[in-house]
Amino acid sequence: MLRYTLMRLGIFAGSFLALWGLVYVGVLPRGLGDSNLLWVLLLSVVVSAPLSFVLLRRERDAMSVEIVRKVDRAKGRLEANRSAEDAA
């Protein structure tokens, strides 16, 4: 899960730097007044979300499988504890 989170943050940081560069050279508008940083942050969120969804699909699926395994294992232990209590 940590790996996925770091990869997602990396995609956000890359988007932020790329968009900041585009705003700096004038390809994208600068925003209103002092809102330049907020504009670039919001635009980075909008751009990085679909990129993360597509680029990190394999990691997200692997993380999902691992979580399901852990939940199933915890359910099995809980059921075993209930059975042991009922038998006693």
Side-chain angles (χ1 to χ4, degrees), residues 18-82:
L19 291 170
W20 185 270
L22 290 173
V23 167
Y24 184 75
V25 297
V27 174
L28 293 174
R30 291 193 179 271
L32 299 172
D34 294 333
S35 68
N36 190 27
L37 179 62
L38 182 61
W39 161 251
V40 176
L41 282 172
L42 289 174
L43 195 56
S44 297
V45 168
V46 169
V47 168
S48 69
L51 284 174
S52 295
F53 183 75
V54 173
L55 296 175
L56 300 179
R57 180 172 306 214
R58 197 175 324 143
E59 287 79 12
R60 189 174 50 252
D61 290 343
M63 184 176 59
S64 168
V65 167
E66 184 63 31
I67 290 171
V68 168
R69 279 189 208 139
K70 288 180 180 182
V71 168
D72 288 343
R73 202 173 330 136
K75 283 181 181 179
R77 283 190 301 240
L78 182 61
E79 189 59 39
N81 288 341
R82 284 184 187 164

